[in-house]
Amino acid sequence: MTQLHTTRAGRRGLGAAVAAAGLLAALLAAGPAAATPDPGDAPAGAATSAELAADTRAAIAGGEIPGVDEVVHSRNVQHVAHLPKGALGGTNSDLAFQGRYAFAGNYDGFTIYDIRNPRSPRTVAEVLCPGSQNDISVSGDLLFLSTDSSRSDDSCSSTSQPATEKSSWEGMKIFDISDKRNPKYVAAVETACGSHTHTLVPERRNVYVYVSSYSPNAAFPDCRPPHDGISVIKVPRKAPQRAEVVAFPVLFPGDGPDGGGNPGGPTNPGVSKTTGCHDITVLPSKDLAAGACMGDGILFDIEDPENPRVIDRVQDNVNFAFWHSATFNQRANKVVFTDELGGGGGATCNAEIGPNRGADGIYDIKGRGDHRKLVFRSYFKIDRHQADTENCVAHNGSLIPVRGRDIMVQAWYQGGVSVWDFTDSARPREIGYFERGPLSDTARVVGGSWSAYYYNGHIYSNDMAKGLDVLRIDDRRTAPAKRVRMDELNVQTQPDYFDQSGYSDDFDD
């Protein structure tokens, strides 16, 4: 593992100290690690480069979309700060938070930011550890990093190696972050089919990690079908080096070669076959979890974290191509599922694709206990059409915690950041936004906001290509959220905001 520090105290480093020029050279040589892509159905009818360029330039000239890299936002949203990408040249990915720090994944490693002053965030440390996606979470003194690209070994100096080789490695890496300037790599756990994403279920003595992965292949020794469940890792807080896989609960039992999940095409054309889960969100205060699992959405009970039980399962074989992520509302009577049509690289925010594909699906939870059911209510999609040079689709977001309202902030890649209200499940609406113009007006270049999360009064967005953006929303509907203060936030480990915070109903909005 190679580390670059931006503070004098951080020069002690892990292993050999490396000058900035040396790290940059190593990054350029390594290049971004390749992850298992999200196999969302690619939109049909892609135009040629000349057509894309002409259409995009015409839209810019006509004022339909912002110019290249032009920043625009609604009146109630302020662009507070921007910190460009540093030495890590790969794709920026997910975010986690603890105290005054934000932790940002990158396909080449991760960055720790000091966000004590949101108007002037500072880079504390950058750790070079290629292994996409490097989905990231924190709990206490531990940081968790997902590796979903086949590597030569579990070290931070590994190289790409075919998944057909038995010696190849994919899975979870664990770091000690008790010293934020000097993270220490302390453990690794190999998991079947790697770790595309992960979700923490923290307890006092142990942290359970739900590992989501997919796309098995009979030629892969460590990732063969059926792959119809998730890996559960148990990590002792005081001895993380003893972390191990303790269970592989089957979520989609069935007699077929891939288990009992959605068969995908040709049975359900344009829908991903379920061969695992993409992402899981847990609500520990309610012993609930929601799984976005390629062709299926599931609700399950996690009272026993080593043995989650499926309560209900739904499919949408008309408008959902790839069930990507999930968010509960605070009362746990709704779930928002996202459809990542096009796998994150497609231009789906346009009139041709329409308002119901590449969108959010809002489901009410009806009933009690094991009789709870997911009931579809409506779709939400940003109505700000994007150029066909811009990848845009529903992606990662979080609640903005306001008692009595269901408000969410969400990333849409080059569609930017949207703040929307789904208090009425049947009539969701956008109430604020931030976005940049296209990265290019001549070709489709992938970029934009990967994750946009609300934390302690501000919105933080990790732009895949540009870096960290800090936003502030000033709106009477979201103002009470400023009273909510969190010590730690992993969005996929959804907190009970009002039990664990200093929230007051006396806020004057």
Side-chain angles (χ1 to χ4, degrees):
M1 174 174 61
T2 303
Q3 189 168 359
L4 172 67
H5 299 287
T6 58
T7 60
R8 182 175 301 170
R11 291 179 183 169
R12 294 187 292 272
L14 291 178
V18 180
L23 175 58
L24 286 169
L27 287 168
L28 291 171
T36 301
D38 294 345
D41 181 43
T48 66
S49 295
E51 290 172 323
L52 288 174
D55 290 347
T56 300
R57 288 171 177 166
I60 292 172
E64 298 172 36
I65 63 172
V68 172
D69 282 343
E70 180 186 358
V71 170
V72 296
H73 51 81
S74 57
R75 290 183 179 180
N76 58 353
V77 172
Q78 299 178 38
H79 190 198
V80 171
H82 173 68
L83 194 59
K85 288 171 70 170
L88 299 179
T91 299
N92 281 337
S93 57
D94 209 6
L95 290 166
F97 304 90
Q98 186 181 87
R100 72 186 208 197
Y101 298 100
F103 304 81
N106 178 286
Y107 276 41
D108 284 330
F110 64 93
T111 301
I112 302 177
Y113 298 107
D114 185 331
I115 56 171
R116 174 172 44 184
N117 179 0
R119 293 185 175 275
S120 184
R122 296 185 301 107
T123 301
V124 174
E126 294 182 273
V127 176
L128 175 61
C129 193
S132 57
Q133 300 182 140
N134 280 336
D135 192 49
I136 194 166
S137 297
V138 294
S139 184
D141 288 337
L142 300 178
L143 179 146
F144 301 83
L145 209 61
S146 284
T147 299
D148 193 35
S149 54
S150 187
R151 312 296 296 175
S152 57
D153 55 50
D154 63 4
S155 74
C156 284
S157 58
S158 66
T159 57
S160 295
Q161 182 167 291
T164 52
E165 295 189 23
K166 176 62 179 172
S167 62
S168 295
W169 186 91
E170 299 179 62
M172 290 298 308
K173 298 187 178 93
I174 305 171
F175 292 77
D176 183 325
I177 54 167
S178 52
D179 181 351
K180 301 298 187 291
R181 293 181 175 87
N182 291 280
K184 294 187 170 94
Y185 183 16
V186 296
V189 180
E190 187 170 15
T191 54
C193 300
S195 175
H196 194 71
T197 66
H198 68 269
T199 304
L200 304 187
V201 185
E203 296 188 338
R204 182 171 296 179
R205 295 183 178 179
N206 305 298
V207 180
Y208 287 96
V209 186
Y210 288 171
V211 176
S212 296
S213 55
Y214 51 86
S215 293
N217 189 306
F220 299 164
D222 298 318
C223 181
R224 288 177 172 150
H227 184 71
D228 47 11
I230 57 174
S231 298
V232 179
I233 299 174
K234 183 178 181 180
V235 184
R237 289 188 184 276
K238 293 185 178 180
Q241 68 276 7
R242 290 168 42 203
E244 62 177 346
V245 175
V246 294
F248 187 87
V250 173
L251 303 178
F252 305 99
D255 297 328
D258 295 310
N262 196 319
T267 303
N268 296 316
V271 177
S272 295
K273 178 170 68 173
T274 298
T275 59
C277 289
H278 179 277
D279 212 340
I280 291 169
T281 293
V282 298
L283 194 58
S285 63
K286 305 290 187 183
D287 289 328
L288 273 180
C293 301
M294 305 182 72
D296 295 88
I298 59 174
L299 183 70
F300 51 102
D301 182 296
I302 59 166
E303 184 177 8
D304 178 355
E306 292 188 23
N307 297 285
R309 295 185 302 104
V310 174
I311 297 171
D312 193 28
R313 170 180 152 201
V314 291
Q315 297 178 355
D316 179 346
N317 295 319
V318 176
N319 288 313
F320 261 47
F322 186 81
W323 295 67
H324 176 275
S325 52
T327 302
F328 288 98
N329 70 335
Q330 180 61 38
R331 293 177 59 197
N333 60 4
K334 300 176 188 175
V335 182
V336 174
F337 288 103
T338 67
D339 170 29
E340 196 183 46
L341 173 69
T348 77
C349 297
N350 52 42
E352 179 185 4
I353 299 300
N356 296 336
R357 301 180 66 215
D360 296 314
I362 304 166
Y363 287 74
D364 285 350
I365 301 175
K366 297 292 188 181
R368 295 183 179 181
D370 288 352
H371 299 291
R372 283 171 285 192
K373 296 292 182 183
L374 293 163
V375 179
F376 174 76
R377 295 301 307 279
S378 67
Y379 298 106
F380 170 78
K381 187 175 183 180
I382 58 172
D383 59 5
R384 292 169 286 107
H385 286 169
Q386 308 295 306
D388 283 343
T389 59
E390 297 179 275
N391 60 308
C392 175
V393 75
H395 212 236
N396 294 346
S398 76
L399 290 184
I400 296 181
V402 177
R403 195 186 297 275
R405 285 185 181 269
D406 299 324
I407 301 176
M408 186 172 173
V409 59
Q410 186 175 7
W412 289 79
Y413 291 119
Q414 286 192 72
V417 175
S418 176
V419 179
W420 60 287
D421 188 319
F422 63 104
T423 306
D424 183 342
S425 302
R427 295 175 179 83
R429 60 195 181 100
E430 185 174 77
I431 61 175
Y433 69 88
F434 164 88
E435 69 167 287
R436 286 186 173 87
L439 286 167
S440 171
D441 60 1
T442 61
R444 186 172 297 159
V445 179
V446 174
S449 179
W450 178 291
S451 297
Y453 299 147
Y454 185 92
Y455 178 70
N456 290 353
H458 287 81
I459 295 166
Y460 296 87
S461 167
N462 206 18
D463 188 290
M464 297 165 69
K466 296 291 187 179
L468 183 72
D469 287 301
V470 185
L471 312 175
R472 176 185 172 97
I473 182 166
D474 293 303
D475 189 291
R476 65 177 183 81
R477 291 163 292 192
T478 62
K482 295 175 185 177
R483 291 287 193 187
V484 177
R485 313 302 292 182
M486 305 298 298
D487 295 325
E488 190 172 272
L489 179 65
N490 301 294
V491 168
Q492 287 73 37
T493 306
Q494 203 168 310
D496 184 334
Y497 288 97
F498 305 118
D499 259 5
Q500 301 178 17
S501 69
Y503 183 87
S504 169
D505 280 328
D506 295 330
F507 189 88
D508 183 7
D509 62 358

